[in-house]
Amino acid sequence: MKRKLVIVLGLGIACAVQADLSLGQTIGIDFGSIAPAAGLNFNSYSDVTIANGATESFGGTLIDTGGNAVSGVVFSVQNLSGQATGRATASPGTEGAGLMTDSTVYSDWLISNSTSGEPLDPGGYFVFTFTGLDDDLAYDLTGGFDSNNNNFDAIWSADGQSVTTSPSGDGGYATLEGLATDGSGNLEIAVARNTLHVTAAGLTLTAVTPPLPSMEPGDVICVDFGTTVPGIGNYNIINSGALSITNLVRFSDGEILAVGLDVTATNPFDGAGCIASTAGLANINDTDADVYADTFLSAYTAGADNDIITLTFTGLDDSLYYDLSG
């Protein structure tokens, strides 16, 4: 993504401006009335009183942790806890995870407090929403609050992932990785009470490379053994000089998958001179000589146990079943 340089002549200030969060960049949000220390480049969300059912957005342009304005991204908080938020001044918060190691970030908080006569809804929660994100990227989220008190345990959820923090066990902060947007640039993060209160001291969101897709029902992976690369089709090539493939490709479109293949053989050897198969096995091309004419074997060595070649696929979904033709 191209960056533009905007110069404000009257103030003599220059800053990098971008439409959305680029790969490798991080936005930090500090909740509470204490402003984050200079140089941290956290965004101070100091509006600590939010009525139940209300949604309030960050007032101003967000910056990343390098101090660059991220003008296309908006952050908001919706309070669905059952009570208005409040009491966000200095607290017994302790050092957090990742970038949240400064007391100006971790010591104050956004809280919906369950008190006598004013209990929260049983499933009360906050919704933190980022809009204007790049749908082609994934996002790592770290957030929480730590106080060595399990009254502040919380459940952080986003994009089908969920993790429960446990401040009493020095685990008040947690990370969700590889989160995807909803396809329209939005990422919703729910923070729900696990015991008494709904609380957050801070969070960071980092744009990362999306994880590779896994093998799904209907996907076909084809492996061609030997040194000749087929002229057609998306084959994965295994031979004596390449016994391992970290990420196999899907035959239909060449999409790289989060599935690997490791091959072991006592004496790897590349052969040739094979004839076309007439067995009609599924997904095997018996008309392309580039596929069937060369081969791979464990060559005979006197005194060696060399009659087994082992193929190990990694990264498969344990909940699925697989058909093998060869």
Side-chain angles (χ1 to χ4, degrees):
M1 178 174 294
K2 295 182 179 179
R3 296 185 181 181
K4 300 177 182 178
L5 186 65
V6 177
I7 303 176
V8 184
L9 295 178
L11 299 177
I13 298 175
C15 62
V17 177
Q18 58 198 48
D20 49 32
L21 195 64
S22 299
L23 182 66
Q25 292 185 302
T26 298
I27 289 176
I29 304 291
D30 173 29
F31 297 105
S33 56
I34 300 175
L40 292 179
N41 292 319
F42 267 60
N43 299 275
S44 179
Y45 195 96
S46 57
D47 187 358
V48 297
T49 303
I50 304 173
N52 181 52
T55 300
E56 298 191 13
S57 298
F58 176 79
T61 300
L62 293 171
I63 60 173
D64 69 3
T65 53
N68 303 302
V70 189
S71 60
V73 178
V74 175
F75 176 75
S76 65
V77 176
Q78 184 180 21
N79 177 17
L80 296 174
S81 67
Q83 295 291 337
T85 62
R87 210 188 76 178
T89 55
S91 74
T94 57
E95 184 172 329
L99 299 177
M100 285 160 286
T101 58
D102 189 278
S103 63
T104 59
V105 175
Y106 66 70
S107 68
D108 55 345
W109 51 12
L110 176 70
I111 183 173
S112 191
N113 189 24
S114 180
T115 61
S116 177
E118 295 182 344
L120 301 184
D121 291 343
Y125 62 102
F126 297 147
V127 179
F128 300 149
T129 302
F130 287 93
T131 62
L133 297 175
D134 188 338
D135 295 327
D136 292 329
L137 297 177
Y139 300 89
D140 290 350
L141 168 74
T142 297
F145 170 75
D146 208 338
S147 70
N148 296 315
N149 185 331
N150 62 10
N151 286 335
F152 301 96
D153 291 1
I155 303 170
W156 288 67
S157 304
D159 186 33
Q161 298 186 44
S162 181
V163 63
T164 300
T165 62
S166 180
S168 60
D170 195 28
Y173 290 80
T175 297
L176 299 174
E177 297 181 334
L179 302 174
T181 68
D182 63 356
S184 298
N186 307 311
L187 178 62
E188 287 192 354
I189 303 151
V191 181
R193 59 177 293 198
N194 192 47
T195 49
L196 289 181
H197 316 300
V198 185
T199 315
L203 66 83
T204 57
L205 188 76
T206 302
V208 299
T209 301
L212 294 173
S214 57
M215 192 176 183
E216 299 180 351
D219 285 347
V220 174
I221 291 173
C222 290
V223 179
D224 178 30
F225 295 93
T227 56
T228 303
V229 178
I232 59 174
N234 298 294
Y235 287 88
N236 300 274
I237 308 302
I238 288 289
N239 52 51
S240 62
L243 297 175
S244 180
I245 301 176
T246 302
N247 296 111
L248 299 168
V249 299
R250 186 166 52 207
F251 186 72
S252 62
D253 57 5
E255 177 80 20
I256 300 174
L257 302 176
V259 177
L261 173 62
D262 295 311
V263 177
T264 58
T266 305
N267 188 19
F269 184 80
D270 299 312
C274 301
I275 62 174
S277 169
T278 59
L281 294 175
N283 305 307
I284 294 180
N285 187 337
D286 60 4
T287 62
D288 187 350
D290 289 342
V291 177
Y292 69 75
D294 58 348
T295 186
F296 170 81
L297 64 149
S298 184
Y300 174 76
T301 302
D305 182 9
N306 51 33
D307 59 347
I308 296 177
I309 297 175
T310 301
L311 310 179
T312 303
F313 289 90
T314 59
L316 297 176
D317 187 337
D318 293 335
S319 68
L320 299 178
Y321 291 86
Y322 301 88
D323 292 338
L324 176 68
S325 298

